[in-house]
Amino acid sequence: HRQRYYLWFPIILLVLAIGFSRLYLNAHWFTDILGGMLLGSASVMLTTLSWRRYTSPAISMLQLLIVAGLLVMATWPMVYYKD
């Protein structure tokens, strides 16, 4: 399991550095970056839960629905509230 930490740590640092650079360069608002990170996190969680359910059906459908609901809630403002 230790090898997974060595893989995830640089990935998380890269994501945070890209988000910070977008703020520093005034390319995006903070809420845009936060929404993108929430959307990405929800997508990863949904994909992971779906894969685990596929390989071992111990994960309930309720868990998948909760993550899917969080994904919809994270994307709702980006889709329906435009300037």
Side-chain angles (χ1 to χ4, degrees), residues 7-24:
L7 176 67
W8 282 104
F9 185 70
I11 292 171
I12 291 171
L13 280 179
L14 179 65
V15 168
L16 293 175
I18 290 171
F20 179 74
S21 73
R22 303 281 54 187
L23 279 174
Y24 181 76

Side-chain angles (χ1 to χ4, degrees), residues 5-80:
Y5 293 120
Y6 292 128
L7 176 67
W8 282 104
F9 185 70
I11 292 171
I12 291 171
L13 280 179
L14 179 65
V15 168
L16 293 175
I18 290 171
F20 179 74
S21 73
R22 303 281 54 187
L23 279 174
Y24 181 76
L25 296 172
N26 288 328
H28 294 285
W29 294 94
F30 176 72
T31 53
D32 295 340
I33 295 168
L34 185 62
M37 287 185 180
L38 287 173
L39 178 62
S41 298
S43 299
V44 167
M45 287 190 319
L46 183 62
T47 303
T48 302
L49 283 174
S50 297
W51 178 255
R52 287 186 181 172
R53 183 171 168 80
Y54 177 74
T55 57
S56 73
I59 295 175
S60 70
M61 185 59 81
L62 179 63
Q63 289 173 324
L64 286 176
L65 291 175
I66 288 171
V67 174
L70 290 173
L71 182 63
V72 168
M73 287 175 20
T75 58
W76 188 269
M78 291 183 257
V79 174
Y80 291 103

